[in-house]
Amino acid sequence: MNILALETSTEFCSVALWQDGAESGRCEHVGQKHAQVLLPMVDELLREAGLRLHEVDGIAFGAGPGSFTGVRIACSAAQGLALGANKPVAGICTLQALAEAAGRERVIAVLDARMAEVYCAAYEKREGVWHTVCEPELCLPPDAPDLTGADWFGAGSGFAAHGGQLRARYAANLAAVDEQAVPQAAAIARLAAPLFAAGLGVDAADATPFYLRDKVALKTSER
């Protein structure tokens, strides 16, 4: 099975191919240039793999939460590619992708949501399968969800932006932190593989981003 994955929910842009478990990909810090670089990255990746788009079995994308613009770019690009090739799509939560990429069994994934807030969720892997301990939510760092146990791994830009508050919140829980971790297309592909294998991909027209907030900026009076 060949799976193409796209991830643009942060300032990084990444694409990946999953070919029966073998992975290849690209990841670049692009700021706000995702729309300009994403499809050329896809073309280059497919060309190097010797694949054409119609030979891909499914297209996965980071559905969010994350940058409003970035999440929409990944979703719309996946839709356009899938419609043209008549392939199914799968939207994968970016917080779960952070957990998958961490290589740990218990992960608290936290992305900076701006406006003094974070997107966070907690996951635990049991017998090779991820289980959601805390559902994705938008919150202030001091109000991040409770955790039990002392062997959690913290991952994501939320720890870079609000490390003091989050470390205080999870002082009894964290074993280690990677504040530079970002959602990666390779992790998106790995998470999507069992969905496509089970026939759970959806029609491109049904692909939707995953938002946790309606508001993208503070009003002047709120700053």
Side-chain angles (χ1 to χ4, degrees):
M1 176 177 287
N2 299 317
I3 297 170
L4 173 65
L6 320 174
E7 167 45 40
T8 61
S9 64
T10 69
E11 66 272 21
F12 287 82
C13 181
S14 65
V15 299
L17 272 176
W18 188 93
Q19 298 174 275
D20 294 325
E23 298 175 7
S24 57
R26 299 276 185 283
C27 182
E28 298 179 12
H29 186 285
V30 301
Q32 298 180 349
K33 297 181 179 179
H34 302 84
Q36 294 98 304
V37 303
L38 178 59
L39 292 182
M41 287 175 69
V42 169
D43 288 341
E44 182 181 7
L45 184 62
L46 291 173
R47 185 171 61 252
E48 290 188 359
L51 284 178
R52 296 184 179 181
L53 186 59
H54 72 268
E55 296 176 292
V56 168
D57 297 292
I59 300 173
F61 66 97
S67 157
F68 270 59
T69 301
V71 169
R72 287 196 296 270
I73 288 171
C75 182
S76 61
Q79 285 181 309
L81 292 169
L83 283 169
N86 192 28
K87 301 295 178 179
V89 301
I92 302 297
C93 177
T94 52
L95 295 172
Q96 190 174 4
L98 268 177
E100 172 66 22
R104 306 295 182 100
E105 299 296 308
R106 305 178 86 189
V107 181
I108 174 73
V110 188
L111 286 173
D112 181 19
R114 312 295 182 185
M115 297 166 61
E117 295 177 309
V118 294
Y119 299 119
C120 64
Y123 302 93
E124 184 173 23
K125 183 174 279 190
R126 305 177 207 136
E127 298 181 354
V129 178
W130 284 110
H131 295 266
T132 303
V133 177
C134 300
E135 294 287 345
E137 65 176 81
L138 173 71
C139 62
L140 294 170
D143 299 327
D146 290 329
L147 294 175
T148 58
D151 54 352
W152 287 88
F153 183 79
S157 60
F159 286 95
H162 307 282
Q165 295 179 82
L166 289 169
R167 284 177 170 83
R169 179 76 175 95
Y170 294 122
N173 308 111
L174 289 174
V177 170
D178 180 2
E179 63 183 34
Q180 302 303 318
V182 296
Q184 297 274 351
I188 297 289
R190 289 197 298 273
L191 292 169
L195 299 180
F196 286 124
L200 298 178
V202 301
D203 187 87
D206 296 324
T208 55
F210 176 37
Y211 296 131
L212 285 176
R213 81 149 50 115
D214 300 321
K215 187 170 162 184
V216 298
L218 291 171
K219 297 177 182 177
T220 301
S221 61
E222 296 173 312
R223 295 182 189 135

